[in-house]
Amino acid sequence: RIEDLAACLQVISGHDVRDSTSLNAAVPNYSQQLNQPLKGLRVGVIREQVEHEALDDSIRAAVQRGQQVLQGMGASIVDVELPHTRYSVATYYLVAPSEASGNLARYDGVHYGYRQLGDIGDSPLDAMIARSRSTGFGAEVKRRIMLGTFALSAGYYDAYYKKALQVRRLIAQDYRQAFEAVDVLLGPVTPTTAFRIGEKVNDPVQMYLEDLFTVGANLAGVPGLAIPAGIDTNNLPLAIQLQSSGLEEARLLQVAYQLQQAGFFQPAIAP
């Protein structure tokens, strides 16, 4: 329930004097704002996402249903464009693995992390580090380390990582411009509904493409909230998402709560 989420966020949010990376800013009372009416709220719909050829029809219908419910509460619907988000997946899977490669380098079984010892007498340092990292990291982590190490390597840094940072700046600029015209963005979370456990585990590219509509927010540094939006004709769950400008989590919770109160979360077979 959204009210429970708001209460939890109230407890865990805030500045930590022992953490220099935490933001020293006042935390709003999330629960207090849940019942505020939505009249006058400007809801932006990202047309290139809603009309994307990869988007499942049942998710498209759920986004449209969300628009109708919000309009019934007094919100206005505005079409917005995020032209550079089409590059979000490619950009994210250069930036994030590069950061992972650097951050995880310390986990060598000596300074930090899991240590895998070999047979007695078989203990060269480099062999122990190789065993520890091979055993301690899973397949996806190894994949990201390899991608990031390649992107940061000599001869490829400018062509891949530096270029990805430039595109990241353009994506963030798109979001800033969008939030000058609207208060929240409404759109799909994933292009498809939920898939069976293990169905895509051997196809990492297909798994990465499931992030098509979400990693833009990660790159731009804006909050997003996925909310349940029923089930499809195969009885598999689907969702839509709300996004807002930085530090506007209270607004996200407010809109999601109003949708919850309107019965939007109730399971419904998509047409």
Side-chain angles (χ1 to χ4, degrees):
R1 299 189 312 168
I2 297 299
E3 55 267 44
D4 296 330
L5 176 60
C8 289
L9 285 175
Q10 194 69 50
V11 173
I12 64 175
S13 299
H15 179 60
D16 183 348
V17 295
R18 295 181 177 84
D19 182 1
S20 62
T21 65
S22 67
L23 184 65
N24 190 3
V27 179
N29 189 322
Y30 298 121
S31 299
Q32 202 171 56
Q33 299 187 39
L34 296 179
N35 286 304
Q36 296 297 316
L38 300 184
K39 186 174 178 58
L41 182 78
R42 301 169 301 170
V43 179
V45 176
I46 310 166
R47 281 298 157 198
E48 59 258 39
Q49 293 186 359
V50 176
E51 297 172 358
H52 198 285
E53 60 182 11
L55 185 63
D56 189 278
D57 287 340
S58 59
I59 299 177
R60 185 178 292 108
V63 174
Q64 294 170 346
R65 186 162 59 92
Q67 293 179 49
Q68 294 167 359
V69 173
L70 291 173
Q71 280 183 305
M73 297 179 184
S76 59
I77 304 299
V78 181
D79 285 351
V80 298
E81 293 184 356
L82 300 176
H84 295 97
T85 56
R86 70 186 68 179
Y87 308 117
S88 292
V89 171
T91 303
Y92 178 84
Y93 282 105
L94 281 171
V95 173
S98 295
E99 293 176 349
S101 174
N103 290 334
L104 295 176
R106 73 191 73 177
Y107 293 96
D108 54 10
V110 179
H111 302 87
Y112 299 96
Y114 174 79
R115 175 178 294 187
Q116 175 67 51
L117 298 175
D119 297 331
I120 296 176
D122 178 25
S123 57
L125 180 62
D126 56 348
M128 186 277 293
I129 292 174
R131 283 194 302 270
S132 298
R133 289 175 67 82
S134 297
T135 306
F137 291 139
E140 180 59 28
V141 175
K142 293 176 187 176
R143 189 178 295 118
R144 295 194 181 205
I145 290 173
M146 292 296 291
L147 282 170
T149 302
F150 176 80
L152 293 174
S153 60
Y156 296 100
Y157 179 94
D158 287 345
Y160 291 98
Y161 183 65
K162 183 178 179 180
K163 185 66 68 176
L165 293 181
Q166 292 171 336
V167 178
R168 179 185 190 175
R169 190 178 303 115
L170 293 175
I171 292 171
Q173 179 179 299
D174 287 346
Y175 273 94
R176 283 195 298 271
Q177 292 176 346
F179 287 124
E180 290 175 1
V182 300
D183 301 304
V184 297
L185 293 173
L186 173 69
V189 182
T190 56
T192 66
T193 57
F195 45 86
R196 303 291 179 183
I197 295 176
E199 182 179 337
K200 300 183 180 182
V201 70
N202 294 319
D203 192 341
V205 174
Q206 286 301 312
M207 288 294 292
Y208 293 166
L209 290 176
E210 291 293 327
D211 298 334
L212 184 62
F213 304 131
T214 55
V215 292
N218 297 106
L219 293 168
V222 304
L225 178 62
I227 57 178
I231 54 178
D232 66 7
T233 53
N234 295 315
N235 288 324
L236 293 172
L238 55 93
I240 63 172
Q241 73 170 329
L242 299 165
Q243 296 173 337
S244 70
S245 57
L247 302 181
E248 289 291 333
E249 290 87 351
R251 191 184 299 277
L252 289 183
L253 294 168
Q254 173 198 3
V255 177
Y257 179 76
Q258 296 295 335
L259 286 170
Q260 174 184 282
Q261 295 302 103
F264 183 78
F265 290 13
Q266 298 300 316
I269 297 293

